[in-house]
Amino acid sequence: MSTIVITAGHSNVDPGATNGVVTEAHIVTDFRNMVAHYLRQAAADIRTDGEGNENLSLNAAIKLIKPRHIAVEFHCNAFTNPSATGVETLSQDKDKALGAKLCEAVANVLGIVNRGAKGEGSGQHSRLGYVRAGGIILELFFISNPDDLRRYLDKKWLVAREVANVLMVAADA
Ligand SMILES: [Zn+2]
């Protein structure tokens, strides 16, 4: 069984995107904790970039990734047009199959657009050292879209459970 690394984008000193009410760093730290809960319940071998409110820096997160680990970092997308919607992943080509499964799981639970598994140059995030180290960036939804955010807040535990399930299947493969 492969080790699963799950990390929260941004950090305690870098809030990431915000919609004026909630920050990306807060949402993805909470989400990391929920996915960790399900993975531990299933006795998966996991590494995280912190517990509770702790969200270590990108450099610390990258250091967790070793060869053959499955690594996913959680983010929220943001755009100036509030109607932009959906889930996507950014990864190396080798990880696009797993990225597509993660996108499908999130899109199905939230009922939002599946933007698909993309290459590392596609996103609004420029900090792609995580992808170069062999990890996948999962942009869960658009924090700038009130409908995306509402759907996520209603169903975040279900999203976390489905993401954990996809990761466990991949770790056992
Ligand atoms: Zn981000």
Side-chain angles (χ1 to χ4, degrees):
M1 188 205 270
S2 304
T3 297
I4 300 170
V5 177
I6 50 169
T7 61
H10 305 279
S11 69
N12 291 132
V13 294
D14 165 21
T18 178
N19 61 9
V21 178
V22 64
T23 67
E24 180 185 358
H26 176 82
I27 287 173
V28 297
T29 302
D30 181 48
F31 189 74
R32 176 206 64 203
N33 294 343
M34 291 185 285
V35 175
H37 164 77
Y38 285 115
L39 290 173
R40 286 183 177 128
Q41 199 174 53
D45 178 23
I46 76 168
R47 308 278 186 276
T48 71
D49 63 339
E51 300 295 328
N53 292 328
E54 188 180 25
N55 178 353
L56 299 179
S57 70
L58 177 64
N59 281 342
I62 286 173
K63 287 191 183 120
L64 298 171
I65 307 175
K66 304 286 187 256
R68 287 187 301 283
H69 282 182
I70 292 169
V72 182
E73 176 157 279
F74 306 119
H75 284 261
C76 302
N77 235 324
F79 194 59
T80 49
N81 182 341
S83 66
T85 177
V87 54
E88 68 189 21
T89 56
L90 306 175
S91 74
Q92 297 179 24
D93 284 348
K94 72 177 179 66
D95 294 319
K96 281 188 177 170
L98 178 54
K101 288 185 183 131
L102 290 166
C103 288
E104 192 181 347
V106 175
N108 284 346
V109 174
L110 294 184
I112 61 175
V113 172
N114 183 347
R115 301 166 66 94
K118 300 181 177 178
E120 68 168 309
S122 312
Q124 50 106 18
H125 286 99
S126 55
R127 310 185 332 155
L128 294 183
Y130 198 86
V131 169
R132 266 173 249 126
I136 298 173
I137 288 181
L138 172 55
E139 302 267 13
L140 290 160
F141 63 93
F142 278 74
I143 194 173
S144 49
N145 181 321
D147 184 59
D148 271 26
L149 180 61
R150 185 166 51 242
R151 286 167 185 261
Y152 171 77
L153 292 175
D154 283 349
K155 295 186 170 172
K156 62 185 186 178
W157 282 97
L158 292 173
V159 181
R161 191 181 67 185
E162 292 307 308
V163 165
N165 283 342
V166 169
L167 294 176
M168 280 185 287
V169 169
D172 283 338

